[in-house]
């Protein structure tokens, strides 16, 4: 059943004029990064997201926020791309995928070699001053935290934070650029996202209304399965490995 669905998907990818992908935390679980809401070991079952992933939490408990990031940075920086990231990058280099919009902040699509990448929730490797918006590497922020407990901007004294979108913050311009890609697409692959986080989840009905085929690959159901053209209930690594064979991407 899954094989027939993957053959159908391979055919649609070959036929597509402008295929794009939207990815979520599920593409990175096989790199050892826990997801957000997945049934097993979701990151947010371990910590309170409103403390460590909201802008209010950042201000009300800055030390706690930095402690979490010291731990998370170590985890993220030791992760490597898996077969899903690598297959998507190969699809792009063969001209079969035009862009990836990702909710992930983990930098793994970039490390896999994807070039047209819209990181709509930011990237953990980059940091920013909340006052003057100067950019600074997150590694440097955390080095300051280790030395001085708080990380302040050398220019204006503002607090520094990883340049990732926290609950309560606006999305970066990459979101509008990603939306433009969605409106060009005639095929949207959604991989490893619960599609519960807005406004990103809205990209799926927008693609559909604009005439694109929508294919969801996920191990759990999503709220958009009913309107998708194809839903492949799968483990992504195995599914993307097979898709790569079908599309002859492996050499
Ligand atoms: P999510 O956790 O809500 O959903 C992930 C989905 O992927 C779940 O439905 C889960 O069942 C599925 N999944 C997990 N592993 C899978 C696998 N191997 N094969 C198939 N399906 C698998 O993630 P989301 O939709 O991206 O949620 C959005 C928020 O989570 C974003 O704001 C994102 O920034 C944040 N987040 C990012 C990371 C990361 O950068 N890797 C990690 C955790 C959370
Ligand atoms: Zn500053």
């Amino acid at each position: 059943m899954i094989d027939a669905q993957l053959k159908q998907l391979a055919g649609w990818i070959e036929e597509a004029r402008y295929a794009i992908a939207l990815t979520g935390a599920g593409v990175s679980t096989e790199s050892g990064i826990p997801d957000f809401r997945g049934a097993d070991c979701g990151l947010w079952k371990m910590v309170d997201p409103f403390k460590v992933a909201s802008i209010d939490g950042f201000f009300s408990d800055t030390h706690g926020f930095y402690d979490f990031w010291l731990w998370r940075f170590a985890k993220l920086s030791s992760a490597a791309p898996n077969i899903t990231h690598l297959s998507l990058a190969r699809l792009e280099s063969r001209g079969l995928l035009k862009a990836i919009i990702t909710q992930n902040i983990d930098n793994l699509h970039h490390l896999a070699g994807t070039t047209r990448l819209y990181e709509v929730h930011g990237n953990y490797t980059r940091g920013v001053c909340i006052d003057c918006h100067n950019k600074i590497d997150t590694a440097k922020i955390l080095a300051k935290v280790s030395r001085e407990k708080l990380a302040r901007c050398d220019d204006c004294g503002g607090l520094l934070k990883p340049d990732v979108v926290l609950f309560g913050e606006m999305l970066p311009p990459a979101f509008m650029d990603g939306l433009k890609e969605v409106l060009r697409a005639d095929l949207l692959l959604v991989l490893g996202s619960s599609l519960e986080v807005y406004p990103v989840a809205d990209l799926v009905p927008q693609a559909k209304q604009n005439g694109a085929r929508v294919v969801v690959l996920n191990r759990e159901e999503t709220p958009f399965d009913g309107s998708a053209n194809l839903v492949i209930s799968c483990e992504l690594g195995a599914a993307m490995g097979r898709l790569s064979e079908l599309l002859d991407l492996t050499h």
Side-chain angles (χ1 to χ4, degrees):
M1 156 100 164
I2 288 189
D3 210 57
Q5 291 180 317
L6 290 169
K7 282 183 179 147
Q8 166 107 73
L9 173 57
W12 284 356
I13 289 174
E14 281 173 329
E15 255 171 61
R17 174 186 47 74
Y18 204 90
I20 64 169
L22 169 64
T23 68
V27 300
S28 296
T29 53
E30 289 169 88
S31 293
I33 302 173
D35 63 6
F36 207 57
R37 295 184 175 71
D40 50 78
C41 95
L43 177 59
W44 310 108
K45 293 191 181 89
M46 297 190 265
V47 292
D48 178 353
F50 290 96
K51 280 208 175 125
V52 294
S54 76
I55 191 68
D56 289 347
F58 174 71
F59 287 120
S60 63
D61 180 14
T62 312
H63 292 291
F65 177 93
Y66 284 142
D67 275 348
F68 170 72
W69 269 97
L70 283 165
W71 172 81
R72 190 151 195 229
F73 186 88
K75 293 257 178 223
L76 291 173
S77 53
S78 62
N82 63 49
I83 188 165
T84 300
H85 303 104
L86 295 168
S87 305
L88 291 169
R90 262 182 235 130
L91 279 173
E92 185 193 23
S93 67
R94 301 283 169 94
L96 293 170
L97 188 71
K98 303 297 185 201
I100 297 180
I101 301 163
T102 188
Q103 300 166 83
N104 297 344
I105 57 154
D106 57 28
N107 203 36
L108 294 182
H109 285 302
H110 177 68
L111 290 178
T114 291
T115 60
R116 285 177 66 89
L117 181 61
Y118 300 88
E119 294 173 308
V120 297
H121 290 163
N123 180 313
Y124 85 101
T125 63
R126 298 189 293 263
V128 66
C129 167
I130 57 156
D131 288 334
C132 74
H133 308 293
N134 263 355
K135 302 285 179 189
I136 174 171
D137 288 348
T138 298
K140 289 189 181 149
I141 298 179
L142 296 177
K144 275 178 184 276
V145 170
S146 299
R147 284 194 309 270
E148 299 154 30
K149 301 276 183 261
L150 282 183
R152 292 198 175 276
C153 174
D154 289 338
D155 288 340
C156 78
L159 286 169
L160 300 169
K161 68 179 252 310
D163 199 5
V164 301
V165 177
L166 302 176
F167 291 112
E169 285 191 305
M170 303 260 292
L171 266 58
F175 179 72
M176 289 311 289
D177 296 336
L179 175 60
K180 286 186 196 142
E181 295 288 350
V182 165
L183 298 178
R184 287 177 76 176
D186 59 351
L187 175 63
L188 171 68
L189 314 184
V190 184
L191 302 103
S193 177
S194 64
L195 296 177
E196 283 175 5
V197 176
Y198 284 81
V200 174
D202 246 341
L203 296 175
V204 178
Q206 295 202 57
K208 184 83 187 146
Q209 279 155 26
N210 204 46
R213 279 175 173 149
V214 172
V215 179
V216 175
L217 296 99
N218 208 52
R219 67 155 78 113
E220 293 179 314
E221 288 179 5
T222 80
F224 294 96
D225 287 4
S227 60
N229 298 79
L230 181 61
V231 177
I232 307 183
S233 174
C234 62
E235 287 303 305
L236 280 166
M240 292 306 284
R242 179 67 182 132
L243 185 72
S244 295
E245 279 171 21
L246 291 168
L247 289 167
D248 209 14
L249 299 177
T250 43
H251 45 266

